[in-house]
């Protein structure tokens, strides 16, 4: 350690103060530049698509050849291409999810219910073929560009580069199917402006059986089309109108994943009873929309009523005239459920006279397509203005596979997408406003994080991005996966993973309860949402190791807008050491020394996620490891003509040039500062891993003697297996003192370097630097959690190396050792047993001795089974006493990203009272309703009324209900493994792979979002000095005995020695560090409606900058669905009479 500090000083290292505002400006500018390039690519695709559609002449002929992803490269037993299939050259490409692609062509993906026999689909496929040259050109200009795609309003997806579907054998073996992308956030948000939606769900006595199921499916499908910029509520109505979810009384809630899930979960809970009061329902809907519009609540853009019913019994035109005429601020969309079209005329009038659309739904297979009609209607004003194409960025979602060095795909990387709508510019004889579709591209979050270089922030510093809703795009504490210790819901996405708020990941250090937001944190959030530049300070709680350790730290925050996007970038840097950095670089260009000499052997690694140097076309230049890539570029620096190429491509939007140049195949980017810092650290640390540790001064404390022995004679005496050093530049060096091959374990042991190559991002590195602030000369000791008596357990000891210059200090590296726990424990017992003046020692039956770390975990105990356990689990009574004596501080940590499970019995039925006649009533209802339904379905009624017609809104006969399910949202969806699929914000992201809806069949119960709390512990070393601190437990037994204990700080470490008397048989409770759900006693305004989550004031958000909800000529468009001419059948009257009779019987029972 001393040698390393000396070497840094000898090499004239400098320590400088960081300027946070300059740093955030530079980083925000880099992120903006990258996002501008993506937006420019999307706008080019949009323009090309509109021009291609404009010049295309529709053809009636069918059977045109095109590349269908489902019909590629399938061969028969004879090796020949199967009939109807095409051959395409596909090459594995690391950049595109490690899949086989063709970067010269695009291919078409179609969900099962979309067919190229449809003339509209076929014509769109034909003209969209002209997008291929632009797709290719975009990729040549920007090799970091991910999937590009055009999603047609007719239902197919054209994606570049071309790919076979399913893309691999694992996907082909699964039962999953392609999800309709038109239900996805990137499509919906681009196609429509934000909207306030009230769904009126008929729950009267006629809405039973099939009708009830269809109504549920329609409401669920509508909810699936909403996103974080929308607001919604669902009202069920019969004789009264009330919220479907009582906790959402008198409000529209943001359509985030959590709220949508709550609404969908309650769809099945409604009862069908009484007679529908349409007046009450319509007035309720208009009232709340009017109130939100006048009070500047909600989205302040589109407003819509979605009426789902089997038909109103009367006309309600006066209500519409009172609330909505003449300007019609609220659109009305009507969904007529079932076979009875006697009320179609009124439903048609409601929609057509209120700028909406009418459909009739007879089977679940129709639901999705019919619901999507409203998207094109809401897009009309935007299409009619023609020239304004709003660009939309989606919330974060899980999709695709990561791009790494190790061959295996990293499933479920976080993504965002940027998209914009495509308009039909043709002139038609009849006024129309056709949305042709949406174009877009994906942006992996890792690609964004590369531009915010972590080495510039330093250890324990981090960056994050939030959007206009205050939701996280990325943050180190964003934890999208459920990872329960019991194995349940492993690798499952959390139900609200893409709407995590900034206030849920920045945990302010205060004694307040859950959800008690701090004013300074809210101010930070407000400023970032408003895209202001600024700085502030906050004291926060930081948890490690899956919420088993905690520390507190004061951070300086700097923030800056990413202009032209909904995002703002933030930096959090520790106060004190975090504001200073070591400046030391080794000039590489044309040096006479071969710098690769400092990287000999295989005992070094670099940070696998940092960009030192990389080729822009990753697929053209492959490396097996990041170390191989570093050595490659170090060799290139010695060649004539070497240029650093430290600037990434500049955006044409920034430079003012409409065209960008193609990149050469061997073009590259190098971070000059990082590369030269890496070489600098390599020169300083070269050979140091082979030296023995320096001497440590003597101390009279027996435990200090143990530590001193470790430092002086560790290699031999303590069985040191490995020593290592990690530096600020991401370099890791190590020296094995016991070759791994000599281990006699039957199980292969992973080497330290396999799991600890991330340098400043490793927990042991972070803890060592924080410990330096407490005690500069100390080591941090740790063992694996709950390791018990497992053989070959290793202790890890780390120490931070700070370098001083001009009176300032900054962390430069962390050194460490790993040694055998069994040897350390044996020496501990030997030393504590040799006290000649002591009546009792740690080997006595009267005493229990423990060595605890700074978070209360057992490093050494007389019982090896206790190793790695939290001490409160062994003796919670003593742990409580240590907290009362202020030796440890108890810190409440709240997890606002929790996932919980409700265990409900399928046999419970609250509110149903047993009656002997009740089964008879149910049976009579069933027989009568089924008999009359069969009479109507077999067309017997036509004997009385031949004019009766059954036609949907397109005039085609509907079919019987299919026995399918309608699920499109991904709460609780399994994250993909090598045999799974990748979920997205709404439904699944249909252009990643595989991209389909899947719920783990093993998990019958879906997790729900919840808040959790866990009490963790931090040592207060100032409370302890050289002398032991003594305490005792009193009144803990009927005999009146006392239980004394003694605590002593172990110098130069994060450890304490705890000695507990065992003679007094005090009861011992156990403390848990497993997070538990927080239960709130809140009750909504609805009487008796207990809300699961704590009610919160509406969090501040910024609305999207553009709202297109009105065009003066829209009224000229008459397309609003087709009605039916009908008259009332006697059988319907008979059916209603029987239902009224049965209900009367039910009341009497």
């Amino acid at each position: 350690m001393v040698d390393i500090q000396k070497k840094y000083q000898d090499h004239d290292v400098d320590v400088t103060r960081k300027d946070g505002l300059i740093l955030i400006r530079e980083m925000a500018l880099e992120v903006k530049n990258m996002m501008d390039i993506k937006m420019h690519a999307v706008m080019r695709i949009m323009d090309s698509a509109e021009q291609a559609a404009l010049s295309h002449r529709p053809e009636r002929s069918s059977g045109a050849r095109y590349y269908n992803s489902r019909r590629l490269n399938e061969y028969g037993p004879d090796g020949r291409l199967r009939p109807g299939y095409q051959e395409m050259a596909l090459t594995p490409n690391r950049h595109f999810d490690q899949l086989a692609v063709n970067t010269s062509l695009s291919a078409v993906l179609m969900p099962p219910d979309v067919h190229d026999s449809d003339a509209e689909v076929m014509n769109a496929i034909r003209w969209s073929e002209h997008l291929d040259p632009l797709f290719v050109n975009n990729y040549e200009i920007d090799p970091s560009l991910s999937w590009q795609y055009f999603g047609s309003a007719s239902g197919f997806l054209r994606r570049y580069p071309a790919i076979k579907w399913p893309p691999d054998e694992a996907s082909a073996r699964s039962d999953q199917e392609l999800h309709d992308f038109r239900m996805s956030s990137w499509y919906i948000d681009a196609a429509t402006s934000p909207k306030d939606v009230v769904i009126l769900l008929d729950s009267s006595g006629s809405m039973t059986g099939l009708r009830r199921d269809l109504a549920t499916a329609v409401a669920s499908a509508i909810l699936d089309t909403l996103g974080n910029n929308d607001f919604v509520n669902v009202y069920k109505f019969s004789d009264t109108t009330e919220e479907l979810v009582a906790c959402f009384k008198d409000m529209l809630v943001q359509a985030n994943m959590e709220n949508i899930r709550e609404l969908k979960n309650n769809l099945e809970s409604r009862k069908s009873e009484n007679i529908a009061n349409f007046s009450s329902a319509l007035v309720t809907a208009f009232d709340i929309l009017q109130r939100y519009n006048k009070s500047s609540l909600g989205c302040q853009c589109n407003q819509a009523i979605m009426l789902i019913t089997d038909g109103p019994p009367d006309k309600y035109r006066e209500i519409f005239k009172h609330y909505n005429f003449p300007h019609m601020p609220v659109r009305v969309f009507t969904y007529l459920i079932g076979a009875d079209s006697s009320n179609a005329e009124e439903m048609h009038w409601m929609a057509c006279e209120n700028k909406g659309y009418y459909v009739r739904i007879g089977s679940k297979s129709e639901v999705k397509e019919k619901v999507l009609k409203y998207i094109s209607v809401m897009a009309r004003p935007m299409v009619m203005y023609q020239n304004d194409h709003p660009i939309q960025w989606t919330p974060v979602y899980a999709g695709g596979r990561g791009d790494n060095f190790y061959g295996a795909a990293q499933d479920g990387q976080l993504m965002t997408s940027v998209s914009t709508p495509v308009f039909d510019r043709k002139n038609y004889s009849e006024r129309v406003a056709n949305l042709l579709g949406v174009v877009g591209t994906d942006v992996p979050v890792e690609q964004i994080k590369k531009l915010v270089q972590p080495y510039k922030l330093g250890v324990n510093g981090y960056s994050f991005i939030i959007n206009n809703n205050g939701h996280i795009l990325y943050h180190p504490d964003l934890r999208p996966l459920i990872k329960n210790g019991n194995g349940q819901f492993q690798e499952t996405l959390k139900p609200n993973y893409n709407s995590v708020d900034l206030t849920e990941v920045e945990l302010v250090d205060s004694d307040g309860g859950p959800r008690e937001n701090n004013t300074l944190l809210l101010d930070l959030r407000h400023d970032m949402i408003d895209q202001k530049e600024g700085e502030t300070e906050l004291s926060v709680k930081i948890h490690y190791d899956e919420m088993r350790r905690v520390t507190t730290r004061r951070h300086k925050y700097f923030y800056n807008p990413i202009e032209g996007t909904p995002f703002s970038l933030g930096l959090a840097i520790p106060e004190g050491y975090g504001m200073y950095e070591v400046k030391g670089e080794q000039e590489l260009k044309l040096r006479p020394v071969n710098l690769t000499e400092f990287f000999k052997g295989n005992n070094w690694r670099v940070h696998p996620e940092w960009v030192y140097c990389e080729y822009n076309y990753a697929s053209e230049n492959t490396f097996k490891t990041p170390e191989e890539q570093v050595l490659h570029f170090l060799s290139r620096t010695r060649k004539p003509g070497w240029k650093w190429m430290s600037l990434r491509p500049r955006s044409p939007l920034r430079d003012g040039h409409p065209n960008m140049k193609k990149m050469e195949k061997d073009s590259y980017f190098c971070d000059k500062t990082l590369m030269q810092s890496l070489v600098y650290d390599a020169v300083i640390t070269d050979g140091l891993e082979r030296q023995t540790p320096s001497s440590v001064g003597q101390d009279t404390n027996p435990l200090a003697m143990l530590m001193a022995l470790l430092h002086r004679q560790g290699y031999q005496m303590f069985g040191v297996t490995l020593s290592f050093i990690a530096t600020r530049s991401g370099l890791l060096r190590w020296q094995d003192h016991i070759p791994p091959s000599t281990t006699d374990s039957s199980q292969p042991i992973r080497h330290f370097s396999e799991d600890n190559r991330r340098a400043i991002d490793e927990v042991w590195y972070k803890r060592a630097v924080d410990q330096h602030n407490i005690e500069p000369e100390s080591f941090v000791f740790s063992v694996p959690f709950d390791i018990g008596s497992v053989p070959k357990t290793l202790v890890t000891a780390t120490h931070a190396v700070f370098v001083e210059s001009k009176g300032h200090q900054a962390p430069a590296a962390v050194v460490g050792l790993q040694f055998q726990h069994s040897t350390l424990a044996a020496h501990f017992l030997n030393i504590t047993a040799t006290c000649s003046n002591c009546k009792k020692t740690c080997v006595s039956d009267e005493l229990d001795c423990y060595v605890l770390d700074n978070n209360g975990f057992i490093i050494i105990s007389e019982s090896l089974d206790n190793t790695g356990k939290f001490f409160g689990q062994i003796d919670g009574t003593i742990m409580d006493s240590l907290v009362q004596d202020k030796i440890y501080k108890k810190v409440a940590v709240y997890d606002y990203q929790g996932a919980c499970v409700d265990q409900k019995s399928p046999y419970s039925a609250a509110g149903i009272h047993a009656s002997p006649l009740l089964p008879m009533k149910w049976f009579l209802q069933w027989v009568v309703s089924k008999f009359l339904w069969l009479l109507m379905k077999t067309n017997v009624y036509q004997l009385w009324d031949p004019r009766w017609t059954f036609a949907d809104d397109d005039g085609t006969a509907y079919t019987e209900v299919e026995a399918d399910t309608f699920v499109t949202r991904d709460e609780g969806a399994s994250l993909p493994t090598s045999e799974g699929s990748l979920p997205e914000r709404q439904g699944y992201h249909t252009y990643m792979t595989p991209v389909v809806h899947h719920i783990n069949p093993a998990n019958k119960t879906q997790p729900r979002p919840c808040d959790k709390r866990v009490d963790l512990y931090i040592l207060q070393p100032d409370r302890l000095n050289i002398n032991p601190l003594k305490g005792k437990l009193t009144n803990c037994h009927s005999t009146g005995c006392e239980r004394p204990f003694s605590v002593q700080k172990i110098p130069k470490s994060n450890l304490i020695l705890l000695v507990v008397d065992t003679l007094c048989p005090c009861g011992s409770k156990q403390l848990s560090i497993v997070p538990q759900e927080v239960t709130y006693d809140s009750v909504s305004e609805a009487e008796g409606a207990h809300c699961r989550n704590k009610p919160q004031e509406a969090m501040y958000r910024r609305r999207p900058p553009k709202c297109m909800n009105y065009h003066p000529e829209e009224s000229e468009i008459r397309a609003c669905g087709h009605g039916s001419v009908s008259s009332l059948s006697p059988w319907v009257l008979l059916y209603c009479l029987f239902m009224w009779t049965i209900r009367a019987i039910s009341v009497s029972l």
Side-chain angles (χ1 to χ4, degrees), residues 188 192-201 218-219 221-227 229-235 248 251-255 260 263 284-286 288-290 292 297-308 329-333 335 371 374-375 378:
I188 297 288
T192 63
S193 293
K195 45 202 171 290
D196 294 336
V197 175
V198 172
I199 300 175
L200 298 178
L201 188 57
V218 171
I222 294 171
L223 290 172
D224 278 326
T225 64
L226 304 179
N229 288 323
D230 304 320
F231 288 78
V232 66
N233 206 343
V234 180
Y235 289 83
F248 296 164
M251 69 175 74
L252 300 180
V253 297
Q254 188 178 25
I260 293 297
L263 289 167
T284 299
F286 277 116
I288 192 167
L289 289 173
Q290 193 175 77
Y292 266 64
L297 298 173
C299 73
Q300 292 295 297
C301 191
N302 287 295
Q303 290 194 319
I305 295 173
M306 309 290 196
L307 177 60
I308 306 171
V330 178
R331 297 178 186 269
V332 179
F333 297 89
Y335 301 86
V371 165
Y374 95 85
I375 299 297
M378 280 197 169

Side-chain angles (χ1 to χ4, degrees), residues 65 390 392 472 477 510 586 614 689 838 897 927 1080 1117:
R65 288 177 63 84
Q392 299 292 334
I472 295 298
D477 193 35
S510 69
Q586 186 78 43
E614 66 179 1
E689 75 281 1
C838 301
Q897 302 173 61
V927 169
Y1080 298 106
I1117 301 175

Side-chain angles (χ1 to χ4, degrees), residues 320-576:
F320 291 96
K321 290 178 181 178
H322 174 74
Y323 281 98
N324 217 34
F325 288 4
H327 302 296
M328 289 172 286
V330 178
R331 297 178 186 269
V332 179
F333 297 89
T334 55
Y335 301 86
L336 183 60
I337 303 298
D340 183 6
S341 61
S342 59
N343 299 298
E345 180 181 353
E346 183 62 17
M347 295 284 280
H348 185 266
W349 182 92
M350 288 182 185
C352 294
E353 296 302 318
N354 292 275
K355 296 195 299 185
Y357 203 87
Y358 155 78
V359 296
R360 191 168 83 229
I361 297 175
S363 71
K364 284 188 179 180
S365 62
E366 300 177 301
V367 170
K368 179 189 63 182
E369 203 66 35
K370 296 293 182 69
V371 165
L372 285 170
K373 298 283 187 184
Y374 95 85
I375 299 297
S376 297
V377 175
M378 280 197 169
R380 285 173 180 172
M382 183 167 53
V383 176
M384 296 178 76
Y385 282 113
Q386 291 285 304
N387 294 322
D388 203 343
H389 294 74
I391 296 177
Q392 299 292 334
W393 288 86
T394 69
V396 67
Y397 62 88
R401 296 178 178 177
D403 178 9
N404 59 40
F405 280 98
Y406 311 113
Q410 178 187 350
D411 291 312
Q413 66 171 334
L414 295 180
M415 313 274 285
T416 181
S417 295
V418 56
S419 57
T420 196
V422 179
F423 306 147
D424 187 354
R425 295 183 176 276
K426 288 183 178 179
N427 291 320
Y428 296 89
S429 57
E430 183 180 350
R431 190 62 188 265
V432 295
N434 294 331
L435 175 73
L436 296 178
V438 172
V439 296
T441 187
D442 301 338
V443 183
V445 168
E446 286 301 321
Q447 194 177 124
I448 301 173
K449 293 166 70 174
K450 282 182 179 180
L451 305 175
V452 189
Q453 304 95 323
Y455 78 90
K456 292 186 177 181
L457 306 180
V459 59
N460 289 318
Y462 56 87
S463 64
F464 57 93
I465 288 180
I466 70 170
N467 64 15
N468 60 296
N469 287 301
H471 296 164
I472 295 298
L473 181 67
Y474 77 83
H475 187 284
D477 193 35
L478 178 60
R479 293 168 279 115
L481 293 180
I482 300 173
K483 293 184 178 180
N484 290 345
N486 60 6
Q488 190 180 28
F489 302 117
Q490 289 289 331
E491 298 301 303
T492 302
L493 285 169
K494 292 180 178 178
N496 60 337
Y497 79 97
N498 74 340
S499 56
V500 176
D501 195 84
L502 179 65
T503 58
E504 296 174 328
V505 290
E506 292 290 332
L507 307 179
V508 177
D509 184 16
S510 69
D511 295 328
R515 301 282 181 183
E516 294 183 5
N517 290 318
N518 179 274
T519 302
L520 291 176
L521 178 59
L522 291 178
D523 290 344
L524 167 65
R525 180 183 180 277
H526 197 293
D527 283 354
M528 292 187 70
I529 289 175
D530 282 345
Q531 297 203 306
K532 296 179 180 179
E533 180 186 81
E535 59 181 300
T536 188
E537 296 182 17
L538 281 172
S539 294
V540 292
K541 305 170 186 176
I542 307 293
H543 57 84
Y544 299 124
D545 291 324
E546 298 182 0
M547 274 195 174
R548 285 181 283 198
R549 297 188 186 277
V550 68
T551 189
T552 56
R553 197 185 300 133
R554 190 159 182 82
H555 283 169
K556 286 184 176 290
Y557 291 85
F558 304 90
Y559 47 93
N560 198 280
I562 303 172
E563 296 177 357
T565 76
F567 303 121
S568 285
L569 174 67
L571 304 180
I573 300 176
E575 191 177 56

Side-chain angles (χ1 to χ4, degrees), residues 695-709 711-712 775 777 831 1025-1028 1048-1053:
S695 299
V696 177
Q698 294 288 340
D699 195 291
T700 57
N701 182 281
L703 269 299
M705 292 168 56
L706 176 63
M707 297 300 110
L709 282 172
H711 297 314
R712 290 198 304 268
E775 190 176 359
E777 296 183 1
I831 291 175
N1025 50 36
I1026 299 176
N1027 298 318
Q1048 187 171 4
K1049 176 77 170 63
I1050 300 177
K1052 299 177 183 178
S1053 76

